[in-house]
Each structure stands twice: as structure tokens, then as C-alpha cells.
Amino acid sequence: MTTETAACNDQHPTDRRSDDQYPTDDRVDDRPAGPGPGYVHGYSETEARRLGDQADTLAELLHAGTAYPAGSRVLEAGCGVGAQTVHLLTASPGVLLTAADVSADSLAQARDRVAAQAPAAQVAWHHGDLHRLPFPEGSFDHVFVCFVLEHLADPVAALTALRRVLRPGGTITAIEGDHGSAFFHPQSPAARSAIDLLVRLQAEAGGDALLGRRLYPLLTEAGFRDVAVRPCPVYADGARPALAEGFTLRTFVAMVEAVRPEALAAGLTTPAAFDQGVADLRRAAEPGGTFHYTFFKAVAVSP
């Protein structure tokens, strides 16, 4: 699928390390940390579909340049329902992937998705918290983490834990969005207010919906070197109907709309005000409307 946006490529070379034992672990760690009950987007079927729509629409944009040699030991930290996992496997056939997530239900959905879309892939599934991974130091050649750090109260601690299981010279790729980068036409104070409510609710849940702009300092503080961050802009207008549908409506607007019950329950807005904001956001995907958003993709090296 062509996203008609500039590709964001990884900047660090990878090497083949297939002679070491592939780490696998299916033990369950039920201690909560990271995305859990406070995960602002929830774990509904609707959210699972939104994640799939997002991953499929933005596959070229977000995964361009991320390809690991066959036999590489790769950890996907926070794989969720496997929406990004299938694209990771498609771009890197033959990798030895370990997919980890704190939600058992999400992990089960990821298994099913991979079985259906990449049945030949070699994947080990781990249910547990990325802060307390049971793997020895240096177990992986590469780590991939996408749309996870924004939901964590202490992303530096998470990145430090991931650096422990990454071999010296191995790379980490981190991708995050930044809701402050959302610009649209027609302008609407109600639409901006609805986005701000999502940002506020995510902050109250312990996350940061503006984290994309912080990737460089976070990775640096966690001890990584050669940190390279590139903006990955998405722009949709009448000439890009696939993006207007797949990203503006089915990804971004759907994400904002999903927090309506929480915003109303917290007394942060009224039904009429919130619904007006969502309606105005939808206008950005209609004829004459435009929508812009920036993701940030970082690649760094474990010292």
C-alpha cells in the first residue's frame, strides 16, 4: 500500500548472528507494569481493529528501512495484538522473533494474526512485563518497540531494561507518535479540545501522548549511543483518499472517539461538546479537508 509519504529509514547497519541460541520463554509474569488497566485506549475488539488499520495503512512509512538479516534474534517489546508484528516479519523473513506483551488476551490475538498472515515465521511468545524480562543479558541482536513507551510512567526505566537484553552493538528501533503534531483544516476549537482531552486522559493514566518529541533525550538517558531520530509525517488530503480513510478516520479520529466514555465520566466535557469535536475532526477527511500528523522513529545502538 502506498502511503505517499516520505520513508523513515533506520540509520544503523545490522549484522547476522545466527550461531547463538534463540531465546524462548513462555513463563507468565502477572505483576502489572506498563500498559495494563490504565491503558487509555482499552482492549476492545474495536481497538484491535483500529490498531490493525493503523499498522496496515502506515506499513511503508513506519517499517521502511527496518529489515533484519535472517537468523537475527529480534525482540518485539509490547507486541499487542500483533498488528506491527506481521509487518516486522514480512520485512525480515527468517528472523528469530520473540514477541512479548503484558496482556495475555492481546498476545493470543497476536498469535492468531501471525498464524494467519505469516505461518512460516519463527516466533516465540512471552507473556510478561518488559521491565522484568527473564532473558539473559545480551540475548537479542535487535529490539523493536512501537507505540509502547507513550503508555509507560517511566519510559527511561523501560528502555534501560531493554538495553540489558540487547547485545553490545545491537540496535533498538523505537517509534512513537505526538498528538501535538496534529494539524487539520478546517480549523476547529472543538476538535482541538477533543484531542487535548485524549492527551489529558493518557497523562492521568501515567502515559504521555506527546512522547514522540522526547525520543532522543529518553534513549540518551537510558544509555544508548548513536541515537538518530527522524520525523515521519503523514499528510492526507483529497488527492490521498486511502490515507484520509485509513489514517485520518479509522486511526486518529477513531482513537479520539474511543475516549468519549472516560471523558464524560470524569466530567471533563459534555456529550454535545465532545461529539462536535469528533464531527469537526471528521471534516478533515472530507472533500476540501486536510490532516497532518508526525510520527518519530529513532534508531540507537547498545554500547
Side-chain angles (χ1 to χ4, degrees), residues 31-99:
R31 294 168 294 179
Y39 177 54
V40 71
H41 302 310
Y43 293 95
S44 67
E45 292 183 10
T46 299
E47 172 61 9
R49 286 195 299 272
R50 187 191 71 81
L51 291 172
D53 290 339
Q54 174 179 250
D56 294 344
T57 301
L58 302 176
E60 284 190 18
L61 175 72
L62 299 184
H63 289 269
T66 303
Y68 306 120
S72 296
R73 306 163 302 170
V74 180
L75 170 67
E76 183 185 9
C79 68
V81 298
Q84 302 295 338
T85 312
V86 292
H87 293 289
L88 195 62
L89 292 167
T90 298
S92 301
V95 298
L96 305 174
L97 180 69
T98 296

Side-chain angles (χ1 to χ4, degrees), residues 180-290:
S181 70
F183 300 103
F184 44 88
H185 173 79
Q187 286 272 30
S188 164
R192 179 60 59 188
S193 177
I195 296 171
D196 290 344
L197 284 174
L198 170 57
V199 173
R200 176 174 174 177
L201 287 168
Q202 189 159 333
E204 292 178 354
D208 179 7
L210 310 177
L211 187 135
R213 67 187 73 179
R214 294 202 289 140
L215 276 178
Y216 183 90
L218 290 173
L219 285 160
T220 301
E221 186 177 349
F224 288 92
R225 63 174 176 82
D226 299 339
V227 181
V229 181
R230 292 185 177 271
C232 302
V234 182
Y235 172 74
D237 59 20
R240 299 168 171 84
L243 278 178
E245 174 68 24
F247 182 71
T248 306
L249 290 178
R250 297 172 66 177
T251 297
F252 192 83
V253 176
M255 176 175 58
V256 173
E257 194 170 19
V259 300
R260 184 182 190 273
E262 293 177 69
L264 295 180
L268 300 178
T269 185
T270 65
F274 190 88
D275 293 345
Q276 184 63 58
V278 170
D280 288 354
L281 271 179
R282 290 183 175 278
R283 290 175 59 201
E286 296 175 357
T290 67

Side-chain angles (χ1 to χ4, degrees), residues 126-159:
H126 173 70
H127 173 208
D129 174 18
L130 65 81
H131 295 81
R132 293 182 286 269
L133 292 170
F135 310 111
E137 293 185 10
S139 291
F140 299 96
D141 300 305
H142 308 285
V143 170
F144 181 85
V145 56
C146 183
F147 307 148
V148 173
L149 300 174
E150 64 173 301
H151 299 293
L152 305 180
D154 189 349
V156 171
L159 289 169

